[in-house]
Amino acid sequence: MDLFITTFESVAVLLGIGLIGFLIIRKRIVPGNILGLLSPLALEIALPSLIFVNIIQNFSPSNSPDWWQLPLWWGFFTLISAGLTFILMFVSQKKTRREFAISLFYQNGIFFPLAILAGMFGDGSPYIIFLFLFALFYAAFFFSTYHFFFEHKEKNKLDWKKIIHPVLIATMLAVVIRLGGVQDAIPDFVISIFDLLGGMTIPLIMIILGGNIYIDFKKKGQSQVVEITKFVIIKNILFPLIFLGILSLIRPSYHIALIILLQSAVPPVTTVPLVTERLGGNRSIVNQFIVGSFGSSLVSIPIMIYLFEIFFTAP
């Protein structure tokens, strides 16, 4: 029960910060158009800084000899997710099936797991490093594949600035520095700069998320209660239960199994509404999927972690 409460509190912190962002825009404390200016600050400066400083300070290749397997496990997770998405997307109504599928497939793979792992094991835990290495290619994968869900003229255009993302660069640079054993050559004040910048990541991204939810909520259109219910059942409950069954059969290391379970249980990535609209899809229903999944995750993620601990014991 302690683990359930710890996970519940970690998710509640995320949603609480998102609620603050919602209220900030709703009360017009800052204008809604500032969110677009804050997003690059969060994703291209704060998050890469957080990743870089964590790997430099806490990653030890000798203590984690299987670290290189983590991106391969991400590939395994992505393949299974793609298969499940292809099968389960037909549960949805035909007119919003593509929106259902894209929301189901792309998970919020960094921020939710990051907050939960920090709550479970502490800010300096190697599990956070494992998460960053697991998700090493996720941003590049997302920006190079999301267009396949819709037929649109943009599908042949690749934005290499988004594929070769600062997150990818920061992760690989930090790993190379640690593998070379030259991390002590980096001045302490440089690490402090990155540490302070990285500390903005989760609060900033959740405030942006909450603000965007408010803006989109005003344009949500007719509520699709049945479709939202289908989505929440599949995304928040069925997906993690299926992965829990797979993990129980193949029995990977505890830290790998935990990260995969978290990836399967978290809500959709918050960029999905934007790219859906860009490709001519129904942004309104995607926003409703995200709000439903985020709200339900307050209970569903702690339950899945509780079930996970029945099958896997922490070392």
Side-chain angles (χ1 to χ4, degrees):
M1 187 56 66
D2 288 343
L3 188 62
F4 179 92
I5 294 173
T6 298
T7 309
F8 178 89
E9 290 175 344
S10 299
V11 177
V13 167
L14 283 176
L15 298 182
I17 298 173
L19 178 60
I20 292 172
F22 183 97
L23 294 174
I24 285 174
I25 302 302
R26 184 174 184 271
K27 298 293 186 181
R28 295 186 175 88
I29 296 174
V30 295
N33 58 12
I34 200 172
L35 297 175
L37 301 176
L38 291 177
S39 293
L41 175 62
L43 298 177
E44 298 180 17
I45 298 177
L47 179 58
S49 298
L50 176 69
I51 293 173
F52 182 82
V53 75
N54 268 276
I55 293 177
I56 292 297
Q57 291 182 330
N58 302 316
F59 176 49
S60 174
S62 59
N63 292 336
S64 307
D66 63 346
W67 65 269
W68 58 272
Q69 297 178 15
L70 289 162
L72 301 179
W73 281 107
W74 168 80
F76 166 80
F77 168 81
T78 302
L79 286 174
I80 299 297
S81 296
L84 291 176
T85 298
F86 179 77
I87 295 170
L88 296 172
M89 64 185 281
F90 292 99
V91 172
S92 66
Q93 60 183 356
K94 186 174 181 180
K95 66 179 181 179
T96 56
R97 188 166 292 162
R98 293 178 182 272
E99 289 84 352
F100 193 96
I102 194 172
S103 303
L104 201 59
F105 183 57
Y106 294 111
Q107 77 281 8
N108 195 309
I110 294 181
F111 300 112
F112 261 70
L114 175 60
I116 293 169
L117 292 173
M120 292 173 66
F121 303 106
D123 293 335
S125 167
Y127 286 87
I128 294 176
I129 307 303
F130 298 148
L131 170 65
F132 293 149
L133 294 174
F134 181 90
L136 176 63
F137 299 111
Y138 180 59
F141 175 77
F142 174 79
F143 285 111
S144 59
T145 59
Y146 68 80
H147 54 80
F148 289 119
F149 286 86
F150 295 89
E151 296 179 2
H152 192 269
K153 62 184 180 181
E154 186 180 329
K155 65 182 180 180
N156 294 321
K157 297 181 180 179
L158 294 179
D159 189 343
W160 291 103
K161 291 182 180 179
K162 292 182 177 179
I163 294 175
I164 309 299
H165 196 271
V167 169
L168 177 63
I169 296 171
T171 306
M172 297 189 70
L173 177 61
V175 168
V176 169
I177 290 174
R178 287 295 314 200
L179 290 175
V182 295
Q183 64 275 3
D184 292 336
I186 302 176
D188 290 342
F189 77 89
V190 174
I191 297 297
S192 296
I193 292 172
F194 285 121
D195 193 24
L196 290 171
L197 288 173
M200 299 189 301
T201 305
I202 294 180
L204 189 55
I205 198 67
M206 293 310 298
I207 286 173
I208 293 170
L209 169 64
N212 280 327
I213 286 176
Y214 172 73
I215 291 173
D216 291 329
F217 184 78
K218 295 193 300 182
K219 307 174 184 178
K220 67 182 180 66
Q222 183 179 359
S223 295
Q224 302 283 337
V225 177
V226 174
E227 291 302 304
I228 295 170
T229 303
K230 292 178 188 176
F231 184 83
V232 169
I233 291 173
I234 293 174
K235 180 63 176 172
N236 290 54
I237 300 174
L238 191 57
F239 250 55
L241 286 178
I242 291 173
F243 272 99
L244 182 58
I246 294 172
L247 293 170
S248 299
L249 290 175
I250 63 178
R251 308 299 299 183
S253 301
Y254 177 87
H255 64 282
I256 293 173
L258 176 59
I259 290 173
I260 290 177
L261 189 278
L262 284 174
Q263 296 289 321
S264 69
V266 294
V269 66
T270 55
T271 319
V272 168
L274 178 62
V275 299
T276 297
E277 183 178 50
R278 182 182 301 165
L279 296 175
N282 185 340
R283 178 170 181 164
S284 172
I285 188 64
V286 172
N287 288 321
Q288 293 181 52
F289 290 152
I290 288 181
V291 171
S293 183
F294 267 74
S296 302
S297 67
L298 185 61
V299 175
S300 64
I301 294 178
I303 289 175
M304 295 305 161
I305 294 296
Y306 180 80
L307 293 175
F308 173 81
E309 288 292 316
I310 295 175
F311 295 92
F312 290 86
T313 304

